[in-house]
Amino acid sequence: MSKKKDKPEAGGFLIRGRPDLDRLANDHHVSDAAFEKRIKPLQETLQRLQQAYLGSRERAVIVLEGWDTAGKGGLVRRLGWTFDPRSFKVHSIAAPNAIEARQHYLQRFWERLPLHGQITVFDRSWYGRVLVERVENLTPETAWQRAYEEINAFERMLVDDGVRLVKLFLHISREEQAKRFRDRMENPLKRWKLSYEDFRNHALWDGYRAAIEEMVERTSTEAAPWHVIPSNDKPFSRLAAMEIIAGRLGQGVDVTPRELDAEFRYLAEKTLGDGNGG
């Protein structure tokens, strides 16, 4: 597959073909003042979209992948502050438990898909099969090689069934990751986030980079493309991600507030009065 240039879309980068992560521009910057100015209307848009989904057959899945320390947790928190938790679900994916390890690796994701009206985030996802399981030799090569087509088929079924699928990868440089590790080590309130595995994974950077580039090349499809977001600057990254989410979730969705049912309005006015002291 030939490599194409990164195309800016909705504040992020839509990738077709194999990306060269080492050459991906990662010098974007958004000031704190600009961030605060842009985030409020964006949050209002997302809130309107969530309300439009309620009572409809709309549903969405946000797949969130990225390097350690790239800002996945911060983005999830921003979304959590925006959406009503009653129809917004977050699944933080770790290693499969003893039962899941004996099942097909996609089964635990099928069971966590959103119902109609819901928006679901997978903080790490089924792509673990072609990332950590590949790099750490946790699964045979024949299995992770087969997984690309399995994942494409899985996502094609979701999209065909009406699921709005958004795939985001937060990319930081190796130097930026090292800096953030050091910051976490020196900050007592963030030190809990560090583990021996973080430093071991950092040493495996080249292996992960190759796996990520191949993952994007082989699974960024017309139906379910990847957005690789430069994330050395956290404010830029969060705005870009939320703009992409709003664009995909809002495509063709009428966010006009629903009119009150006449019978409902009559009952409310009878119970509460007409607001004029009546």
Side-chain angles (χ1 to χ4, degrees):
M1 184 181 294
S2 61
K3 180 169 66 176
K4 298 181 180 179
K5 292 183 178 180
D6 305 329
K7 294 168 54 182
E9 180 176 289
F13 291 84
L14 176 70
I15 302 293
R16 295 282 168 73
R18 190 182 185 98
D20 185 339
L21 294 181
D22 284 343
R23 293 174 181 249
L24 182 70
N26 215 333
D27 56 354
H28 306 273
H29 176 72
V30 174
S31 68
D32 290 343
F35 177 83
E36 293 302 329
K37 182 178 180 180
R38 291 170 59 185
I39 194 68
K40 185 175 180 180
L42 187 52
Q43 288 175 315
E44 290 176 353
T45 296
L46 289 169
Q47 288 168 354
R48 287 181 177 272
L49 284 169
Q50 185 183 31
Q51 292 174 16
Y53 276 35
L54 295 175
S56 75
R57 295 183 64 84
E58 295 286 357
R59 51 186 175 143
V61 169
I62 301 167
V63 173
L64 185 56
E65 294 284 352
W67 295 99
D68 293 336
T69 76
K72 297 183 296 298
L75 175 57
V76 170
R77 283 194 298 275
R78 276 286 173 181
L79 293 172
W81 296 340
T82 300
F83 289 131
D84 188 308
R86 286 172 289 187
S87 61
F88 174 64
K89 310 297 179 185
V90 177
H91 299 296
S92 296
I93 302 301
N97 61 35
I99 295 175
E100 292 168 340
R102 297 196 299 270
Q103 300 170 339
H104 190 281
Y105 71 97
L106 288 174
Q107 182 164 330
R108 61 177 172 151
F109 300 104
W110 276 111
E111 296 170 350
R112 291 171 169 85
L113 293 175
L115 305 176
H116 291 153
Q118 290 185 343
I119 299 168
T120 294
V121 170
F122 286 96
D123 181 2
R124 298 203 184 275
S125 66
W126 42 90
Y127 283 97
R129 174 57 55 114
V130 296
L131 291 177
V132 62
E133 293 185 33
R134 165 184 170 170
V135 177
E136 302 284 350
N137 295 314
L138 299 175
T139 195
E141 181 175 354
T142 53
W144 61 257
Q145 286 283 5
R146 186 176 67 244
Y148 296 113
E149 288 305 318
E150 293 172 339
I151 288 170
N152 287 340
F154 172 59
E155 292 178 350
R156 178 77 258 180
M157 284 189 284
L158 296 184
V159 173
D160 287 347
D161 197 46
V163 174
R164 292 173 183 262
L165 182 59
V166 188
K167 300 192 307 191
L168 308 175
F169 186 89
L170 306 189
H171 175 58
I172 58 175
S173 66
R174 189 172 191 170
E175 295 74 20
E176 179 64 21
Q177 186 185 66
K179 176 180 177 295
R180 293 182 185 183
F181 279 150
R182 284 192 293 269
D183 290 344
R184 287 183 177 184
M185 189 167 58
E186 298 301 326
N187 188 334
L189 296 179
K190 294 184 178 180
R191 200 171 294 156
W192 64 271
K193 295 182 179 181
L194 284 175
S195 68
Y196 287 104
E197 287 188 0
D198 290 325
F199 299 108
R200 187 168 56 83
N201 291 344
H202 183 72
L204 295 172
W205 181 275
D206 290 339
Y208 273 104
R209 185 192 62 230
I212 293 161
E213 290 177 350
E214 185 170 4
M215 172 195 78
V216 173
E217 179 182 24
R218 297 181 66 175
T219 63
S220 189
T221 63
E222 192 70 31
W226 272 107
H227 291 84
V228 178
I229 302 175
S231 300
N232 277 1
D233 184 72
K234 288 182 180 181
F236 172 83
S237 174
R238 288 170 190 170
L239 282 173
M242 292 174 73
E243 286 172 358
I244 293 167
I245 292 167
R248 178 67 185 114
L249 269 57
Q251 190 173 6
V253 176
D254 183 5
V255 296
T256 305
R258 296 184 182 91
E259 292 291 333
L260 282 175
D261 178 84
E263 185 175 346
F264 183 89
R265 181 183 290 277
Y266 170 76
L267 178 61
E269 291 178 350
K270 181 179 180 181
T271 304
L272 305 174
D274 59 10
N276 296 313

